[in-house]
Amino acid sequence: MTLRAALLLALAPAMAALPAVAIAQVSQDPAAAPAGTYNVDGRHASVIARIGHGGGSSLSTFRFGTVSGSLDWNPAQPQASKVNVTVDVKSIQTPIAGFADELIGDTFLNVAKYPTATFTSTSIQRTGPTTGKITGNFTFMGVTKPIVVDARMVGAGKGARNASVVGFSGTTKFKRSEFGYTSRLGPIGDEVELLLDIEFNKPAPAAG
């Protein structure tokens, strides 16, 4: 008997005792997710920022891991939906030990004074069956200005726990200097690109 076969036999009783998990059923039809208020699934949401470094010689990438917010979803008229997202700036992540602590300090993101960045939609223009431009107010470093997110609905339907789900991917760009964030302009770029991947879900109604 091979080692792999022996492990499978040993694990079989435990695996058989695990509860069955329904397979998610999603599509690219907006109507697959019913109307209502959905919340950001923090386990399946991330915001990635890219910014020039070295006077334009390369791009540095950072991930913000703590995201919250909600979506008022209108599947019949997706352009009538509304969304708000809040990013915990302190949740910035980098692969360099100690660098995140430097970034959240006074010289850079100053999270003690500006702990969050927020986006609240003001209008949505549908550009295709699953795409659109979401205009909204972006608040960063205490300054609020309009930005536009190019968004794509990745999927909608029922999740693995029978919750209604709808997920989006989006991109946007802004100049940090327009928000008063001018620390080390030149060596560090002005334009920031954001890549957003966010899943929203609505729990299934309680039985009985």
Side-chain angles (χ1 to χ4, degrees):
M1 180 181 295
T2 65
L3 177 60
R4 179 175 182 274
L7 287 172
L8 288 174
L9 284 174
L11 290 173
M15 295 173 66
L18 292 174
V21 177
I23 298 174
Q25 298 178 345
V26 298
S27 73
Q28 290 192 313
D29 179 3
T37 299
Y38 291 64
N39 293 318
V40 169
D41 182 345
R43 300 167 301 173
H44 303 106
S46 72
V47 174
I48 293 174
R50 301 175 72 199
I51 187 169
H53 181 260
S57 61
S58 64
L59 290 170
S60 292
T61 301
F62 308 95
R63 181 180 186 271
F64 296 88
T66 303
V67 184
S68 60
S70 64
L71 168 70
D72 291 328
W73 181 237
N74 185 332
Q77 293 183 301
Q79 65 274 18
S81 302
K82 296 180 180 180
V83 62
N84 69 82
V85 173
T86 296
V87 176
D88 180 354
V89 179
K90 188 172 60 178
S91 69
I92 191 170
Q93 302 168 4
T94 85
I96 303 170
F99 192 23
D101 290 334
E102 181 181 353
L103 290 172
I104 65 177
D106 294 351
T107 301
F108 292 102
L109 294 169
N110 195 0
V111 298
K113 188 174 182 180
Y114 308 112
T116 62
T118 63
F119 175 81
T120 302
S121 68
T122 54
S123 67
I124 298 175
Q125 177 189 356
R126 199 171 182 183
T127 58
T130 60
T131 59
K133 292 183 178 294
I134 306 175
T135 300
N137 291 323
F138 179 52
T139 300
F140 176 59
M141 304 290 283
V143 177
T144 301
K145 288 184 176 292
I147 62 171
V148 178
V149 177
D150 289 306
R152 174 177 65 90
M153 191 193 79
V154 178
K158 290 291 185 180
R161 293 175 176 79
N162 204 36
S164 297
V165 299
V166 57
F168 293 90
S169 183
T171 62
T172 189
K173 294 180 180 180
F174 66 92
K175 290 187 176 181
R176 64 187 180 101
S177 61
E178 295 181 353
F179 292 81
Y181 181 23
T182 58
S183 176
R184 300 188 183 177
L185 275 178
I188 301 175
D190 191 10
E191 184 174 80
V192 180
E193 179 184 16
L194 296 181
L195 312 176
L196 307 99
D197 290 290
I198 301 176
E199 181 178 309
F200 298 84
N201 60 36
K202 182 162 71 82

